[in-house]
Amino acid sequence: MTNVLTQPRPIRLKGRSFLALALTPELPFEDWLARLDDLAARSAGFFLRRPVVLDVDGLDTNRAELRELIEELSKRNVRIMGIEGARPSMLGSDMPPAMTDGRPASDFEEPDGDEVEEATAPLEAAPVQPLSGSVVPSIVVTEPVRSGQSIFFPEGDVTIVGSVASGAEVVAGGSIHVYGTLRGRAMAGTRGDGAARIFCSKLEAELIAIDGFYKTAEDMEPDLRGRAVQIWLDGEKVNTGILG
């Protein structure tokens, strides 16, 4: 009986996946960091409380340069949880671990400005309803997406019957349709679909992106604000046009 009572309980190991932002640096690192600083300056809170993976696949660099890049990112409060595509000789025991087999996707983002404090609570997903009989996988969200919420559907299109508040976001593997005001962030084509589009009844977005190419609010044409628009990708250029 004593042996049974004193025998240590086995450690319980559970598998769990988390969504991370993949950064793909380019050489020279100084220029790439300058562009990263510009993005962070125009979209406050862009890297708050989010896991980040550094994808260096095919990059002609060495361990010292990679370590210096990680240190520069740390100074910018970008915490690297793992490194993908690195040769074993590039990694040291004091560096983030190697990661493999990451599934292409996009990341949940935090609201900026006055809403950063509100977003310190865990993000929650709004209820969704699958569309039955659809050829292309899609979901319909029947309620407005509130500040601090994220809708993530990498399999296909997302339709929002309502508005997307500032500090909220919608992430889709396909296209995004918002039948209301888009004030938050919308990221379409996150699994490499450059043909995906974003549609909204009223554009007031903080950030829009298709297949990783993005525009922040400062980059958008002023005459499109408050209008019904569609957004599409032409090469590496994000285009916007008025609907109707």
Side-chain angles (χ1 to χ4, degrees):
M1 177 66 72
T2 302
N3 289 337
V4 174
L5 292 176
T6 57
Q7 184 177 2
R9 296 178 59 186
I11 296 175
R12 187 180 183 187
L13 303 178
K14 300 174 66 177
R16 185 170 296 174
S17 62
F18 293 89
L19 190 65
L21 173 68
L23 284 179
T24 54
E26 300 173 0
L27 294 172
F29 289 147
E30 293 80 5
D31 294 347
W32 181 80
L33 286 168
R35 301 202 306 272
L36 190 74
D37 290 339
D38 179 64
L39 170 61
R42 291 183 292 138
S43 187
F46 194 86
F47 294 106
L48 286 179
R49 296 193 314 109
R50 71 173 52 182
V52 178
V53 172
L54 201 61
D55 182 359
V56 297
D57 185 32
L59 205 60
D60 184 17
T61 186
N62 55 44
R63 180 187 295 188
E65 293 171 337
L66 183 58
R67 180 182 284 110
E68 183 178 354
L69 174 62
I70 293 172
E71 291 175 354
E72 288 296 326
L73 290 170
S74 179
K75 294 176 183 177
R76 294 162 169 81
N77 294 319
V78 181
R79 308 298 182 185
I80 304 301
M81 65 174 289
I83 302 175
E84 187 174 19
R87 302 185 304 275
S89 61
M90 293 172 59
L91 302 179
S93 59
D94 59 336
M95 300 171 69
M99 302 186 72
T100 58
D101 301 326
R103 187 176 71 173
S106 186
D107 185 56
F108 298 134
E109 299 184 36
E110 297 290 348
D112 55 8
D114 298 334
E115 297 177 4
V116 170
E117 183 176 352
E118 178 184 347
T120 55
L123 297 179
E124 58 181 37
V128 297
Q129 296 181 351
L131 286 177
S132 59
S134 298
V135 176
V136 178
S138 60
I139 60 172
V140 175
V141 180
T142 59
E143 298 180 4
V145 186
R146 302 188 303 273
S147 177
Q149 289 184 315
S150 289
I151 301 299
F152 175 64
F153 187 68
E155 288 78 14
D157 296 354
V158 174
T159 298
I160 309 294
V161 185
S163 297
V164 178
S166 178
E169 68 184 2
V170 181
V171 181
S175 297
I176 296 174
H177 307 257
V178 180
Y179 292 100
T181 302
L182 173 58
R183 294 189 177 90
R185 297 173 178 175
M187 288 161 281
T190 56
R191 301 184 75 175
D193 184 3
R197 297 198 175 204
I198 299 172
F199 303 86
C200 66
S201 298
K202 186 177 181 181
L203 179 66
E204 299 288 349
E206 299 164 357
L207 180 144
I208 53 175
I210 298 177
D211 191 18
F213 298 97
Y214 66 89
K215 276 189 176 184
T216 61
E218 291 79 4
D219 299 325
M220 300 176 201
E221 296 83 348
D223 60 329
L224 295 177
R225 310 295 293 186
R227 307 288 296 274
V229 303
Q230 65 168 321
I231 300 144
W232 69 96
L233 192 63
D234 183 7
E236 297 184 357
K237 181 182 178 182
V238 178
N239 291 325
T240 53
I242 296 173
L243 286 172

